[in-house]
Amino acid sequence: MDHPPLAPTRPQDRRGRDFIARHGETVFNAAGRLQGDHPHTPLTRAGFAQADEIGRAMRNLLGARPALTLWASPTGRALQTLAIIAEHLGLDWHGARTDPRLVEIDMGSWGGRYYAELAAEVGPVVVPGGLLTPAPDGETYGEIAARTAAWLADTDHLDGDRLVIMHGISSRVLRGVMTRAAPHPAFAAPIASSLPQGSLVMIEHGSEQLVHRGTGHAPA
């Protein structure tokens, strides 16, 4: 059973804007394999192109060397995506901060397996709305909400805007917490709408705006 998420601070109390991006396509995405919290599944050429698109969109919006704090999941695919974006913005990738609370959903023993192979054994892994069925020994959506809400609480007081590079599922939960989305009826946690790889949103005072819609196709 999902545990209730930690109560987020009021969105209007959070300083600055959050630009939240989903990393580009990876070799696991292209092969139809579950990534979960695997530490490094490299970007494909399409993934690098998607990161380029995010970088161009941010450069057009914010100009060169914007005052941004760089944040990322510590996974290789998130850091690769961030490196491309930072180059477009003229920012130093080496100044980025990582936090394990920004990683993707832990899929337990299902991590790394092929979607089709796993579905033949246990039934649908990808459920309506592009969400993943939690693994029996994996992480629940409530647990993701709790850890992302804890990251928010620790960064609410920081001045300035942030760029945050994350993953398909964990970014949806973070966005849901930040925008106070209604709890999902099956997973009992706030979950925002699905966006393809290479997408970027801006959240300010609890309100979300789509900045760039990526060209990725993987469900999670």
Side-chain angles (χ1 to χ4, degrees), residues 104-123:
E104 184 57 303
I105 182 174
D106 179 357
M107 292 302 291
S109 58
W110 291 1
R113 297 192 62 186
Y114 288 93
Y115 283 95
E117 173 190 79
L118 187 58
E121 291 181 15
V122 303

Side-chain angles (χ1 to χ4, degrees), residues 23-44:
H23 66 74
E25 180 191 78
T26 71
V27 294
F28 269 46
N29 295 144
R33 294 179 66 182
L34 275 166
Q35 289 178 113
D37 61 347
H38 275 236
H40 187 43
T41 55
L43 298 183
T44 61

Side-chain angles (χ1 to χ4, degrees), residues 83-108:
I84 300 299
I85 298 170
E87 183 179 354
H88 278 277
L89 297 174
L91 298 178
D92 184 3
W93 175 89
H94 294 92
R97 307 178 187 184
T98 62
D99 196 299
R101 293 172 293 187
L102 301 176
V103 299
E104 184 57 303
I105 182 174
D106 179 357
M107 292 302 291

Side-chain angles (χ1 to χ4, degrees), residues 1 9 20-21 40 44-45 76-77 114 125 149 163 165 191 198 211:
M1 176 181 291
T9 54
I20 302 172
H40 187 43
T44 61
R45 286 183 295 173
R77 56 196 185 273
Y114 288 93
V125 179
L163 170 62
I165 311 300
I191 302 173
V211 177

